[in-house]
Amino acid sequence: MACRSCNEFKADSTEAIDPLTGETTPLFNPRTQRWSDNFTWTSDATTVEGLTIIGRATIVCLRMNNPVILVARRRWTISGWHPPDD
């Protein structure tokens, strides 16, 4: 349940380190957790921000804000395709 880029960065990882606390935590699980409980969008809808330890660690592990995806999100926003509904 991830885009190709995020899935490639995830590989077989099931946990990651929160950059704020340094604690190891499980990655976000879309089957059991709500996206909006763990993440939010910046005002321009291009960058994902973590609201929780799980959100922050997942963003770093999956490189969810890499330069390529940020450009794509800008284009998607202009086209009205982004951000997605929760």
Side-chain angles (χ1 to χ4, degrees):
M1 295 193 64
C3 70
R4 180 178 177 190
S5 174
C6 288
N7 197 44
E8 287 177 357
F9 288 123
K10 181 187 176 296
D12 63 351
S13 300
T14 58
E15 56 187 25
I17 297 172
D18 173 24
L20 186 63
T21 65
E23 294 180 45
T24 300
T25 186
L27 294 175
F28 172 72
N29 183 340
R31 292 181 180 95
T32 61
Q33 297 168 314
R34 286 175 29 122
W35 192 93
S36 60
D37 290 341
N38 293 281
F39 307 97
T40 191
W41 294 103
T42 54
S43 61
D44 66 357
T46 59
T47 305
V48 181
E49 294 181 328
L51 299 173
T52 63
I53 186 173
I54 289 171
R56 292 186 302 266
T58 300
I59 289 168
V60 171
C61 181
L62 275 59
R63 296 178 181 93
M64 293 171 71
N65 293 317
N66 70 71
V68 173
I69 197 66
L70 293 179
V71 169
R73 287 182 192 143
R74 263 187 223 100
R75 291 180 180 158
W76 298 338
T77 300
I78 291 167
S79 298
W81 302 337
H82 186 74
D85 296 328
D86 187 20

